[in-house]
Amino acid sequence: MESTISLFRLLYEKTPPLFPEEIKQKMGHALNHLEHDQTITLEEVEDTMIQFGYEVWPWNQAYKEFLALAESKVGEHFLLPKLSRGLRIVYRQFKEEGGTIRDLHSGNPAQSFTAEERVELCQALIALQTELRIYVNNEIVGLEKKRYLQRVGEFKDLLENIEQTLQHLRNLANTEQDHPTLADEIRSQVRAFEHGLCLLAPELNYEAVCQSVDFFHGRKQHLNKMKGAHKAVKVNFY
């Protein structure tokens, strides 16, 4: 319970620039209530997070895009001064072999650096992210404001499609009479997708949402062929 509320606080505190203040205030009031209500249930906490997840998701997606673009454009400008002379040489060799700053976040190129270099690199990357956020925040409230808000709007349109698909899945579950376990599977998957809006699960994947409808139609056909077999299948859409 406490860890879930902590995630809600993170969602609240990390809202991107220009996020509507009135919605953030509502989030703050809701968070304060959850933190002090001893009778609240985990499901109620999650329901509240999901409610605001629908509000925050388009802004977070646009902001992540701008951060990624900035990292590719000026990330090295911020990173190199944070590295020792020796590590700069190793980093340049890493680049010549096809590595990028984005690769460094994944941990995959660990073999390219010694343990000591990885520690230094990790500290530099943390500082880099802080400076990148400051840089992007200034861009967003300045010259890039129009383009940023346009991307937020486009992600809102995308979210409408997602909501329609999730509602379609709920309708499938509510009208499923032959296979109760299938209805449970669908509801569970809808919940998992909604968790992806608000830090409670891996980030929501639009393609996975779209594919889920065909999957569950196929799942029903399979159950029908199996003459009512109700064995549940766990599916990872991420």
Side-chain angles (χ1 to χ4, degrees):
M1 175 78 78
E2 291 182 4
S3 61
T4 304
I5 293 177
S6 295
L7 287 175
F8 189 13
R9 174 161 290 281
L10 181 63
L11 186 72
Y12 167 72
E13 293 177 346
K14 295 295 185 179
T15 50
L18 304 181
F19 183 73
E21 185 61 31
E22 61 185 44
I23 300 178
K24 184 160 185 175
Q25 289 179 0
K26 291 179 180 178
M27 289 180 69
H29 292 318
L31 177 60
N32 182 67
H33 172 71
L34 295 177
E35 288 178 329
H36 294 90
D37 188 346
Q38 300 298 319
T39 66
I40 205 76
T41 67
L42 177 60
E43 184 177 6
E44 289 171 328
V45 175
E46 292 182 352
D47 287 343
T48 303
M49 285 189 67
I50 289 170
Q51 173 189 344
F52 288 108
Y54 277 102
E55 300 285 355
V56 175
W57 187 81
W59 296 84
N60 277 340
Q61 295 305 113
Y63 188 55
K64 287 176 183 177
E65 272 195 2
F66 275 70
L67 280 174
L69 181 61
E71 185 177 69
S72 66
K73 290 173 59 178
V74 300
E76 195 167 278
H77 169 76
F78 290 122
L79 178 65
L80 289 179
K82 297 173 176 54
L83 305 181
S84 64
R85 181 175 180 276
L87 185 51
R88 284 200 297 270
I89 294 174
V90 176
Y91 171 74
R92 290 193 177 99
Q93 181 179 354
F94 166 73
K95 274 193 62 181
E96 290 174 358
E97 295 172 353
T100 66
I101 290 182
R102 177 53 50 187
D103 293 331
L104 295 177
H105 295 294
S106 68
N108 292 332
Q111 67 278 3
S112 301
F113 304 92
T114 67
E116 292 78 9
E117 288 169 342
R118 290 198 294 273
V119 171
E120 180 184 346
L121 195 56
C122 181
Q123 294 172 341
L125 287 172
I126 292 174
L128 166 65
Q129 288 303 307
T130 299
E131 291 190 5
L132 273 180
R133 286 179 179 275
I134 294 173
Y135 173 84
V136 170
N137 290 356
N138 290 333
E139 290 282 295
I140 283 175
V141 299
L143 297 177
E144 294 291 339
K145 180 177 180 179
K146 181 178 180 180
R147 191 166 69 88
Y148 170 68
L149 293 178
Q150 179 180 342
R151 284 302 287 152
V152 171
E154 290 168 354
F155 278 113
K156 285 182 178 180
D157 292 340
L158 187 64
L159 184 57
E160 285 187 12
N161 294 335
I162 292 172
E163 288 185 85
Q164 291 174 3
T165 302
L166 296 184
Q167 186 56 51
H168 180 57
L169 289 173
R170 293 189 191 95
N171 293 339
L172 286 179
N174 293 337
T175 57
E176 178 55 58
Q177 298 179 350
D178 297 328
H179 310 289
T181 55
L182 177 59
D184 290 340
E185 289 175 33
I186 296 172
R187 293 189 183 97
S188 177
Q189 188 58 57
V190 169
R191 188 76 168 180
F193 284 141
E194 290 185 320
H195 281 181
L197 295 169
C198 55
L199 306 182
L200 292 173
E203 187 171 313
L204 181 72
N205 183 295
Y206 177 68
E207 288 75 18
V209 174
C210 296
Q211 294 169 4
S212 64
V213 175
D214 288 339
F215 170 82
F216 284 115
H217 279 302
R219 178 88 175 107
K220 179 178 175 65
Q221 292 174 1
H222 172 73
L223 290 174
N224 288 339
K225 290 179 181 179
M226 296 295 290
K227 298 181 180 179
H230 298 318
K231 184 177 180 180
V233 174
K234 183 175 179 60
V235 182
N236 185 359
F237 283 96
Y238 299 100

